Amino acid sequence: MSDISKSMALFAKGSAINSHGSLEFYGTSVQDLLEKYGSPLYVVDTDEVRERAQYFVNTATEAFHNTTVHVSYAGKALLTKRLVRIMLETGMHIDTCTMGEMRIALAAGAPGRRLVLHGNNKSYEELELAIREDFDKIVVDEPQEPARIAAIAKRLGTRARVMLRVSAGIHAGGHEFISTAHEDQKFGVALLSPTQNQTVPDFDNVSRETLEVLRTSPALRVLQEILKYPELELVGIHSHIGSNIHDADAFMQAAKRMMALRKTLYCTDAYTLPEVDLGGGYSVAYLEDEDSMDIALELQKLAQSVKETNAQLGMPMPVISFEPGRWIIAPTGCTLYTVGTTKTVQLPDGTYDSKGNLIHQRRYISVDGGMSDNIRPALYGAEYTAVLANRTSESEPVLSRIVGMHCESGDILVHERYLPQDITRGDILAIPLTGAYGRTMASNYNQALFPAVVAVSKQGSSVMLRRQTIEDLLEYDQD
């Protein structure tokens, strides 16, 4: 079996291996794609984007039957005008967090009431645009922000719909920098003060004592502050606990805390928060031996827990919101590279690979991209796999490391992979699962150019984001 055959489950559904042993998308080979659009190249299966987006919306709606569900696509994962239109057509909102993301969504035709604005340091201009365009939600991230939003809304003679981001104290996900619900970080307002965190109340069986503790919650104080402004409409609370989370357990714990806070605000101010946003962070499998979150199963478990909690609290169900990004877009994309230099390095005695096999040498395969088009391995230690994509090889697999072209020893795309020994200059490697946080986190390090993002579908292939050119770089340079 060829190397690529073992890994096909990681590629988008529109991919296949043709009779020449080459990876292709809807009948177009990787060789043809690179010849037409250049190398390296991001490839996104937009038919599968639509399918995954619609599946998430339908599955969440079914899980929370008899409850209104809103799903927002987290644009930070990858945002283009075409992707915005696909998401809107599946019933999604668009979650933005910068002026650039806002303007792309608006340029794609998104109405304000289908847009959300996040951000821990929103500019005056961003807030003004969101208020002018009547965004569905502006997510308040710190205690002074309500006053700023209210002042802008008052000047514009309108009201702004706001939601408070709450740090629930539930830690989930992978790398520390993407576990975002603990209190010692930049996002949100804490549910519990440091003193309260020393003796966390029981949120599994919320009692009068639990609600009493929450009466002094920092988050509750901000909610009460928001209610003082006639220019603000308080529409809910928001929790985001991390990224690439495999099951519903942590979401369930965070949801219980959000529902208890909602009950406390009702008890103190007779105000029923209309909506609770449970964020995103649903996992995908980056390697052959990993699993993605079973969305249908885990959302059913989450829905049951949320309904039971609200019944226990004697509260009506709120609108439930989600913000998937990676889960929708990551598996639909891959990056194609052309191989350049290859060399074999002798290793010290007693060196083992990740599976405990004694190894004596490692093959370094350099490609025409690197950390400028996928920073996640260097930034987070994220793991990817790779396949020889332009041909079948019967050559013996050897321990290989795929590295980029940049002036950094940490410029590694795939740390460890057994690949055919005969891989050589001009071959094509494909790395799956780069639809999320590849192009959107790209840089011009070493003045590398941004690769194009090409959409593939049953209708053929076309450019979503064009390749950057040397002329673009020179135009930035004002001498």
Side-chain angles (χ1 to χ4, degrees), residues 304-345:
Q304 184 64 30
S305 175
V306 169
K307 291 176 181 179
E308 290 175 355
T309 299
N310 277 283
Q312 177 192 354
L313 292 171
M315 293 289 288
M317 280 287 289
V319 173
I320 297 293
S321 299
F322 298 98
E323 295 170 357
R326 177 201 313 265
W327 191 90
I328 291 173
I329 198 71
T332 71
C334 73
T335 309
L336 304 179
Y337 299 98
T338 301
V339 173
T341 300
T342 62
K343 64 181 177 181
T344 300
V345 174

Side-chain angles (χ1 to χ4, degrees), residues 133-423:
E133 294 291 337
D134 193 24
F135 271 34
D136 185 52
K137 289 168 286 194
I138 300 174
V139 182
V140 171
D141 201 86
E142 50 91 13
Q144 288 75 46
E145 195 171 13
R148 291 199 296 275
I149 298 172
I152 297 171
K154 185 174 183 179
R155 183 177 64 79
L156 296 176
T158 188
R159 297 185 81 200
R161 294 163 54 85
V162 299
M163 170 179 278
L164 178 65
R165 179 162 179 168
V166 179
S167 296
I170 301 297
H171 308 188
H175 193 283
E176 177 187 357
F177 293 163
I178 54 176
S179 296
T180 53
H182 54 83
E183 289 73 12
D184 187 14
Q185 49 90 29
K186 70 179 187 177
F187 293 111
V189 177
L191 175 68
L192 300 173
S193 68
T195 301
Q196 292 170 323
N197 263 321
Q198 294 175 8
T199 55
V200 177
D202 183 4
F203 288 101
D204 286 322
N205 298 288
V206 177
S207 64
R208 181 176 299 175
E209 289 75 17
T210 301
L211 299 179
E212 193 63 34
V213 169
L214 290 182
R215 285 175 178 267
T216 57
S217 162
L220 181 68
R221 289 197 296 271
V222 178
L223 291 171
Q224 292 170 328
E225 178 71 14
I226 292 171
L227 290 173
K228 295 177 183 179
Y229 292 99
E231 300 85 5
L232 302 182
E233 179 184 355
L234 178 58
V235 299
I237 49 180
H238 174 281
S239 167
H240 183 73
I241 60 174
S243 190
N244 221 32
I245 303 165
H246 295 293
D247 59 49
D249 293 349
F251 288 104
M252 290 159 61
Q253 293 303 314
K256 290 175 182 179
R257 296 181 178 213
M258 294 299 98
M259 300 309 164
L261 176 61
R262 180 171 177 256
K263 173 70 172 187
T264 305
L265 182 64
Y266 175 76
C267 292
T268 58
D269 292 73
Y271 190 87
T272 302
L273 288 165
E275 183 173 349
V276 176
D277 192 321
L278 298 177
Y282 316 100
S283 70
V284 296
Y286 282 91
L287 303 174
E288 292 92 338
D289 58 354
E290 293 181 346
D291 293 320
S292 296
M293 178 185 275
D294 184 334
I295 294 296
L297 174 63
E298 301 303 329
L299 290 187
Q300 285 285 353
K301 289 161 58 176
L302 179 58
Q304 184 64 30
S305 175
V306 169
K307 291 176 181 179
E308 290 175 355
T309 299
N310 277 283
Q312 177 192 354
L313 292 171
M315 293 289 288
M317 280 287 289
V319 173
I320 297 293
S321 299
F322 298 98
E323 295 170 357
R326 177 201 313 265
W327 191 90
I328 291 173
I329 198 71
T332 71
C334 73
T335 309
L336 304 179
Y337 299 98
T338 301
V339 173
T341 300
T342 62
K343 64 181 177 181
T344 300
V345 174
Q346 298 300 315
L347 301 175
D349 292 342
T351 301
Y352 296 84
D353 66 13
S354 62
K355 296 184 178 180
N357 301 312
L358 182 65
I359 53 175
H360 302 288
Q361 57 187 26
R362 188 193 318 275
R363 191 137 188 273
Y364 278 78
I365 303 173
S366 298
V367 296
D368 55 351
M371 63 193 301
S372 59
D373 56 72
N374 187 357
I375 191 63
R376 295 186 69 251
L379 188 63
Y380 296 142
E383 293 188 72
Y384 288 85
T385 189
V387 298
L388 175 61
N390 59 303
R391 61 184 175 88
T392 299
S393 173
E394 301 301 327
S395 180
E396 176 187 0
V398 296
L399 184 69
S400 304
R401 176 166 288 172
I402 301 172
V403 297
M405 62 182 184
H406 298 288
C407 298
E408 299 286 342
S409 58
D411 179 24
I412 300 171
L413 292 169
V414 179
H415 281 261
E416 182 177 292
R417 176 75 173 173
Y418 280 84
L419 290 170
Q421 190 172 28
D422 66 349
I423 287 178

